[in-house]
Amino acid sequence: MPTRPQRLSRETLGDLSDEALVALVADGDRAAYAELVARHLDRTVTIAMRVTGSRAEAEDVAQEAFLRLWRDAGRFRPEVSRFGTWFYRIAMNLCLDRRRRRPAAPLEAAGDTADPAPDPEALIGDARQRTAVAQAVTALPERLRAAVTLTYDAGLSNAEAAAAMEIGVKALESLLVRARKTLRQSLAGWRADGTGQGGVR
Amino acid sequence: MTLYEFEDLLDTLGPELDRWPTDLRMAAEALLSTDPAARQALDAARMVAATLAELPGERASDALRRAVLDIPLARPRSVATPGLLDRLFGGTAAAWRAWTAGAVAASAAMLMGFYLGYGGLLTLPGLTGNADVATITPEQELVELIAALDVTEIAQ
């Protein structure tokens, strides 16, 4: 069995792929774990926030997802899937489990989407547009939101997102078409300067 | 093309009309030139497509980051380094495995030899007791002749 260096420098770890880092984590390497946290924690929170609509729940999901990464790294099979597919499937399942366990909450309780730092005047329109789309995504039905989030926030390919949701690629593409339709209808007539037909419907 | 068909194509093919098949694009452009609702649908689809990829991301709080980084400390799962007994018996175990492997191979060879010889499944010229006469070698023939000689005749 090939041996590995006892300690890899931060720079060396930074050069490794996610899949190589998971292999080190499976051997109990905390530095490799910290590198994966640095790479994926914010994105995990973003995805969980988008799906659960709650900051507190998103942080719980992220913590549980990384606990499972630390505990179950030995179960990851790089020959079967990429790290992102495996890890975001864990995070997505945690999100969906939480939503199933709690009663439906009104949209107003979904919490605010991220409010970018004060924008220069010229960027206010773009920022409002992004906020409007983010709100519309939050209002999507659960499976549509999961498909959009895995594809756009997690950056997974259609095949990877389908694997993460444990559905076929055609089914995922169908969800994305329905999501785009719902978003388009929600945002029809929206204007960033507020002079349109009144924002998100 | 109806507005309903146009919207379906928008959601399936995306808002980049240049990428649509020529016949569909020409029909869509004809509709857009006359129907304000189609233009509004196209604007909304373009906005969604342009914005989805740059939705504002969330940043983990410092408290969460600390808690997540502390998980390995709270649940250590490092691979145990071998202790004194492990090292001691580790070396012995390797030698034991090598010795037993050799002993097993030798025992198997002996058993096989006994089986073949005792069962008469294999004859070795000059060594096998019940070998056929036809297979007697010249050396065996000589030994048998000497044994058959009358020793007293030689003495006279």
Side-chain angles (χ1 to χ4, degrees), chain B residues 36-99:
Chain B
R39 288 196 294 273
Q40 194 179 62
L42 179 61
D43 286 344
R46 282 178 171 160
M47 185 178 106
V48 169
T51 312
L52 269 181
E54 347 177 299
L55 288 178
E58 301 292 334
R59 184 170 163 72
S61 66
D62 291 341
L64 173 65
R65 197 172 299 276
R66 273 196 306 275
V68 168
L69 286 172
D70 283 348
I71 285 173
L73 299 175
R75 297 169 181 259
R77 191 186 44 75
S78 58
V79 176
T81 53
L84 179 61
L85 287 177
D86 293 326
R87 286 198 293 271
L88 185 62
F89 288 109
T92 309
W96 172 254
R97 279 195 299 274
W99 188 87

Side-chain angles (χ1 to χ4, degrees), chain A residues 10-28:
Chain A
R10 187 74 172 78
E11 291 73 20
T12 304
L13 287 172
D15 292 338
L16 295 180
S17 68
D18 288 345
E19 291 73 20
L21 290 171
V22 184
L24 294 175
V25 172
D27 282 346

